[in-house]
Amino acid sequence: MEETLTPLSLEGLTIVPAVFETKMRLTVSGAVEMRDPGEMLNPFWTRIDLEARNRRLQSVEVDLRDLNFMNSSGILTLVRWITKAKTHAPFDAYKLVLRYDRNVTWQRSCVPTLAKLAPNVIVPAEING
């Protein structure tokens, strides 16, 4: 059964979360080009982290394939989330699956690097197209 949480929509970016039994999927589309995306994204990622732990989810899948661009400030918000996720106790932890398109330059260069920050937490899922 699918359960939808409150989506985030701002300045050309949309993130739609949905829960399917033991996992959450975040469908991300548009672009992160605003000057300070952390103002909105950091609290959003924190809320997602809390939801995942409260629901005892096994994984949170972040589908980045339709995200055309993410500036360095946006990438920093993901780094903060990953850094927090890797400190969770095993009973409170979840896998963070980053689905990305290897044909999109920023995704191909950033996602594997993000995965190295927390190899026990991050699962990069490369898609061709």
Side-chain angles (χ1 to χ4, degrees):
M1 181 171 149
E2 176 184 347
E3 182 182 342
T4 304
L5 303 171
T6 306
L8 176 70
S9 186
L10 68 138
E11 297 183 42
L13 171 68
T14 303
I15 306 174
V16 179
V19 176
F20 304 87
E21 296 179 15
T22 62
K23 78 174 183 178
M24 181 185 302
R25 178 177 298 133
L26 304 174
T27 304
V28 186
S29 60
V32 177
E33 299 178 287
M34 62 282 301
R35 183 174 177 86
D36 185 12
E39 197 173 288
M40 295 299 290
L41 288 176
N42 287 329
F44 183 80
W45 299 140
T46 297
R47 190 176 84 223
I48 295 299
D49 178 71
L50 286 171
E51 284 286 335
R53 291 184 296 131
N54 288 341
R55 295 169 183 257
R56 301 272 190 246
L57 298 179
Q58 293 175 359
S59 66
V60 176
E61 179 183 296
V62 183
D63 189 341
L64 299 167
R65 293 175 296 164
D66 290 328
L67 186 63
N68 303 318
F69 179 75
M70 181 176 260
N71 64 22
S72 59
S73 297
I75 293 166
L76 181 58
T77 69
L78 289 175
V79 169
R80 288 184 177 131
W81 181 16
I82 292 164
T83 301
K84 180 186 287 187
K86 75 179 186 178
T87 65
H88 297 324
F91 68 87
D92 213 19
Y94 55 87
K95 292 289 186 189
L96 191 53
V97 179
L98 301 177
R99 294 177 63 83
Y100 70 101
D101 184 347
R102 69 183 180 123
N103 296 314
V104 179
T105 304
W106 82 267
Q107 294 178 23
R108 181 179 63 244
S109 61
C110 290
V111 172
T113 303
L114 289 171
K116 291 177 184 175
L117 289 173
N120 295 330
V121 175
I122 305 296
V123 178
E126 181 181 295
I127 309 295
N128 185 11

